[in-house]
Amino acid sequence: ATHPPSPPPTTTTTYNSRQHCCVCLQAQALAFLCFVCCIAMVLSGFKTLVQKIPGGQNVQVFTAVVGICGLCAVPVFTKNDKRGHDLFSQEKPEAFVANQEKLVKEFNAKKRSIEEAQAQSQAQASQAQVQSQAQAQEK
């Protein structure tokens, strides 16, 4: 499937969804082919390794299955003791929670200082208003 040559850069081009789709399909096919080749290489190496196990084919298959299950179980038994760092943990990590608490404390402190400043300015304004009313009454 040959595509027509692209127009010179000075002209306005429109989006060609068919051409884009073709490029995407080619990229996906190439990625799948690479994946299949990698799997084939790994499996061929695994097959030669399993064939070196002494015993019949049943012993070799059993040993391979137990080995694969053991490799899959390694992350479960070598888990991190920190909260949120387990393989299937749904908790937030400790560092994240500590940072979040720190940010909340800083926000609350800033909010409190702003509220205090506003209260002081309102108090000063009300004092100035009372003084101006008192001066107006004296006259």
Side-chain angles (χ1 to χ4, degrees):
T2 60
H3 297 287
S6 59
T10 57
T11 62
T12 308
T13 59
T14 59
Y15 177 73
N16 187 349
S17 62
R18 187 176 198 161
Q19 183 179 3
H20 178 72
C21 185
C22 183
V23 170
C24 287
L25 288 176
Q26 289 173 352
Q28 289 175 348
L30 182 62
F32 181 72
L33 181 64
C34 290
F35 175 73
V36 169
C37 290
C38 290
I39 294 297
M41 288 190 304
V42 169
L43 288 179
S44 66
F46 185 71
K47 182 179 178 182
T48 57
L49 182 68
V50 168
Q51 288 176 346
K52 292 181 180 181
I53 298 172
Q57 187 177 7
N58 291 339
V59 172
Q60 292 174 350
V61 169
F62 176 76
T63 307
V65 168
V66 169
I68 290 173
C69 289
L71 287 174
C72 291
V74 167
V76 174
F77 295 113
T78 60
K79 62 183 177 181
N80 198 343
D81 292 335
K82 293 181 182 177
R83 183 182 72 174
H85 291 274
D86 294 344
L87 184 62
F88 300 109
S89 178
Q90 294 182 0
E91 297 176 342
K92 294 179 183 176
E94 290 178 7
F96 180 79
V97 171
N99 189 30
Q100 195 174 21
E101 290 173 354
K102 177 184 166 189
L103 290 174
V104 167
K105 286 179 183 178
E106 289 176 2
F107 175 77
N108 288 339
K110 285 181 183 179
K111 184 177 176 183
R112 196 175 311 116
S113 66
I114 290 171
E115 288 173 353
E116 289 173 358
Q118 287 176 347
Q120 285 178 353
S121 65
Q122 287 176 353
Q124 289 174 353
S126 64
Q127 284 179 353
Q129 187 179 13
V130 167
Q131 288 177 353
S132 64
Q133 286 176 354
Q135 288 175 355
Q137 287 178 356
E138 288 178 3
K139 292 182 180 182

